[in-house]
């Protein structure tokens, strides 16, 4: 009897190992393999909202390197960057990053798929991918030089992908990766903050009610910082609910005076730029290592308007001049913050989400068929969180069936 049970167990395990091996070697017959094209929202040239075009003939991306992960999209979200990229913002520098040899011609840039946020399910992996298998629920911030997430499928490297938090839906999860990657890059790489060094630090966040601001508030509070936020009066309830200690209405006549009366700050994260930069720098502590970090930099604008070489020189000169001036005058570090996709960093964010310390802030949702309307919503400004795009019910049903077929030992979770 015992030998029979052992033999049966051996056969079951052998079958499981064999099936897993087939999945990793890409010889399975998953439904997505039967299609060569996919649905996507694309642009064929830069412009306003009218350039958005729905296509059912975009080629399905394929695994071309051993470290790639192919994700079927459950949900995506829009960011101001998508509106800017639709108009051609940063096109020259991003095209160079994508393919240095492409600068000599105009081929290969279009059709372009926008969308920087994705939450979905892995359907294929390169042969050397170690941390993901088909059926895994993941989220990611898509690099701006890659085809985006307003499509059925997106290809990323293993290092750009992270396991999705378990306690939120795909719709909620899709609202976080881009803003998380932006804030982490700005506060950690440029601002010098981290989980172990933020306790009792005073942080000022300008433009705190949008996607970046609402995430920055929560992350800084999770790390123990004291957070002051500027936003419009009708967003005060939102930002206080996310943990802001002090809130100043930026439109109030005495807004600058209110901030001047407060204790000086260790870090300013400026998501507004323009004239704001001129007076918030003076709110930092002098000669104590305080840092001003702006997300509104002239880098892409300069390369677009002046060309790559002249644009890089002018932008670099501007940064150098301001950094030296602020360091000499009051000992403040002046830095630029950039969006930097990072899968391992999202792993840490996932833990904070599952612990209830980071909440998704979704202002509006749209079906995949209404992507142009979602862009219009975003362009109206004064965001209170993120605008999220959901794939169709048929898509979600098919995804659930695929997960069950790929990983029968696990129960598929319907997130939307």
């Amino acid at each position: 009897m015992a030998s029979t049970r052992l033999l049966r167990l051996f056969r079951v395990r052998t079958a499981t190992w064999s099936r897993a091996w087939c999945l990793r070697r890409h010889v399975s017959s998953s439904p997505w393999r039967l299609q060569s094209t996919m649905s996507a929202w694309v642009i064929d040239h830069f412009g306003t909202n009218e350039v958005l075009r729905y296509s059912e003939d975009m080629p399905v991306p394929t695994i071309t390197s051993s470290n790639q992960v192919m994700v079927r999209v459950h949900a995506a979200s829009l960011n101001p960057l998508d509106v800017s990229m639709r108009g051609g913002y940063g096109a020259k520098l991003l095209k160079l990053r994508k393919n240095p040899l492409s600068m000599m011609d105009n081929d290969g840039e279009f059709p372009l798929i926008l969308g920087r946020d994705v939450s979905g399910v892995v359907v294929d992996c390169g042969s050397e991918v170690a941390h993901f298998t088909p059926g895994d629920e993941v989220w990611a911030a898509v690099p701006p030089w890659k085809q985006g997430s307003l499509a059925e499928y997106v290809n990323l490297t293993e290092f750009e992908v992270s396991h999705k938090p378990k306690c939120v839906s795909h719709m909620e999860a899709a609202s976080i990766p881009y803003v998380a990657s932006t804030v982490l890059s700005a506060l950690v790489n440029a601002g010098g903050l981290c989980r172990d060094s933020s306790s009792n630090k005073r942080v000022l966040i300008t433009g705190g009610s949008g996607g970046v601001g609402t995430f920055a508030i929560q992350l800084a509070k999770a790390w123990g910082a004291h957070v002051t936020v500027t936003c419009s009066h009708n967003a005060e309830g939102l930002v206080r609910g996310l943990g802001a200690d002090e809130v100043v209405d930026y439109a109030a006549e005495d807004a600058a005076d209110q901030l001047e009366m407060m204790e000086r700050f260790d870090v300013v994260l400026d998501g507004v730029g323009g004239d704001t930069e001129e007076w918030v720098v003076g709110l930092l502590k002098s000669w104590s290592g305080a840092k001003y970090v702006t997300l509104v930099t002239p880098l892409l604008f300069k390369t677009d308007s002046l060309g790559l070489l002249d644009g890089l020189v002018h932008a670099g000169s501007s940064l150098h001049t301001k950094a030296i001036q602020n360091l000499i005058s009051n000992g403040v570090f002046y830095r630029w913050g950039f969006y930097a996709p990072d899968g391992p960093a999202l792993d840490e964010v996932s833990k904070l989400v599952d612990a209830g310390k980071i909440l998704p802030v979704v202002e509006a949702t749209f079906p995949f068929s209404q992507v142009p309307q979602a862009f219009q919503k975003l362009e109206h400004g004064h965001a209170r969180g993120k605008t999220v795009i959901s794939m169709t019910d048929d898509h979600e049903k098919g995804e659930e069936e695929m997960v069950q077929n790929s990983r029968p030992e696990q129960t598929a979770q319907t997130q939307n």
Side-chain angles (χ1 to χ4, degrees):
M1 179 67 70
S3 61
T4 301
R5 292 177 64 185
L6 287 172
L7 179 60
R8 187 175 302 166
L9 178 61
F10 174 78
R11 287 174 176 171
V12 171
R13 288 186 174 178
T14 300
T16 301
W17 293 336
S18 177
R19 193 173 190 284
W21 175 254
C22 287
L23 283 171
R24 291 302 302 274
R25 298 306 299 172
H26 320 308
V27 297
S28 68
S29 56
S30 299
W32 69 268
R33 298 182 187 283
L34 303 179
Q35 65 181 96
S36 59
T37 60
M38 66 177 181
S39 299
W41 282 93
V42 304
I43 62 173
D44 300 306
H45 54 87
F46 298 122
T48 59
N49 215 38
E50 289 70 24
V51 302
L52 290 167
R53 174 175 65 87
Y54 177 75
S55 172
E56 296 182 344
D57 300 318
M58 285 296 291
V60 173
T62 58
I63 297 292
T64 57
S65 67
S66 59
N67 69 350
Q68 283 184 333
V69 174
M70 183 175 175
V71 178
R72 184 160 188 174
V73 180
H74 259 230
S77 74
L78 298 183
N79 298 279
L81 178 63
D82 293 302
V83 176
S84 299
M85 288 181 64
R86 187 197 62 195
Y89 177 69
K92 293 182 179 179
L93 191 58
L94 294 177
K95 187 176 181 181
L96 177 65
R97 174 61 180 81
K98 181 178 180 180
N99 180 9
L101 300 179
S102 68
M103 297 311 299
M104 302 302 295
D105 57 63
N106 294 318
D107 297 330
E109 190 169 3
F110 299 107
L112 177 65
I113 302 174
L114 302 174
R116 299 303 108 199
D117 285 303
V118 60
S119 182
V121 175
V122 174
V123 295
D124 201 8
C125 300
S127 59
E128 295 183 7
V129 172
H131 298 96
F132 304 94
T133 58
D136 285 350
E137 294 187 325
V138 296
W139 64 345
V142 182
W145 53 86
K146 291 188 175 183
Q147 292 285 43
S149 56
L150 295 179
E152 288 188 79
Y153 300 97
V154 63
N155 255 10
L156 297 165
T157 69
E158 177 180 21
F159 313 107
E160 294 162 344
V161 178
S162 168
H163 287 99
K164 182 183 77 66
K166 296 180 176 62
C167 71
V168 297
S169 68
H170 284 292
M171 289 289 287
E172 293 169 320
S175 69
I176 295 177
Y178 171 85
V179 296
S181 299
T182 301
V183 172
L184 282 168
S185 175
L187 290 185
V188 177
N189 298 337
L193 297 180
C194 68
R195 180 180 55 191
D196 300 323
S197 68
S198 301
S199 180
N200 298 319
K201 290 290 180 66
R202 291 182 54 80
V203 178
L204 171 63
I205 300 169
T206 67
S209 64
V212 168
T214 53
F215 182 87
I217 293 167
Q218 296 183 82
L219 182 66
K221 290 303 297 181
W223 286 350
H226 180 281
V227 177
T228 300
V229 174
T230 68
C231 63
S232 63
H233 175 71
N234 60 13
E236 180 175 351
L238 169 64
V239 298
R240 285 197 183 277
L242 296 174
D245 297 288
E246 298 178 81
V247 181
V248 174
D249 178 3
Y250 74 88
E253 292 183 1
D254 63 341
D257 294 334
Q258 290 183 53
L259 290 168
E260 284 284 353
M261 294 175 62
M262 296 179 184
E263 181 183 343
R264 289 295 184 257
F265 298 95
D266 297 285
V267 175
V268 169
L269 178 60
D270 185 7
V272 177
D275 295 339
T276 302
E277 176 180 314
E278 301 302 322
W279 58 272
V280 297
V281 170
L283 301 175
L284 287 161
K285 296 177 181 177
S286 299
W287 306 103
S288 61
K291 299 175 180 67
Y292 168 84
V293 183
T294 180
L295 299 175
V296 186
T297 78
L299 177 60
L300 296 183
F301 173 77
K302 290 292 187 181
T303 55
D304 287 340
S305 60
L306 301 177
L308 282 171
L309 183 57
D310 287 345
L312 288 171
V313 170
H314 278 75
S317 175
S318 172
L319 174 60
H320 177 76
T321 299
K322 290 186 176 182
I324 294 299
Q325 287 176 345
N326 282 279
L327 190 60
I328 292 176
S329 62
N330 54 16
V332 167
F333 293 93
Y334 179 99
R335 293 177 177 175
W336 289 351
F338 293 100
Y339 154 52
D342 187 340
L346 283 179
D347 290 341
E348 297 303 313
V349 176
S350 183
K351 295 176 184 177
L352 291 173
V353 173
D354 280 333
K357 295 183 178 181
I358 298 289
L359 301 175
V361 183
V362 178
E363 180 184 25
T365 62
F366 291 83
F368 190 56
S369 61
Q370 295 182 9
V371 164
Q373 290 90 327
F375 268 86
Q376 289 176 341
K377 164 68 179 67
L378 187 63
E379 286 185 273
H380 288 160
H382 302 290
R384 302 291 180 265
K386 294 295 291 293
T387 296
V388 181
I389 309 297
S390 172
M391 303 305 287
T392 66
D393 292 339
D394 288 341
H395 169 88
E396 293 166 3
K397 181 179 179 181
E399 185 63 68
E400 180 180 352
E401 292 173 352
M402 185 190 68
V403 173
Q404 291 173 337
N405 291 335
S406 298
R407 303 179 70 176
E409 72 279 10
Q410 295 188 3
T411 301
Q413 298 180 356
T414 303
Q415 297 286 354
N416 295 319

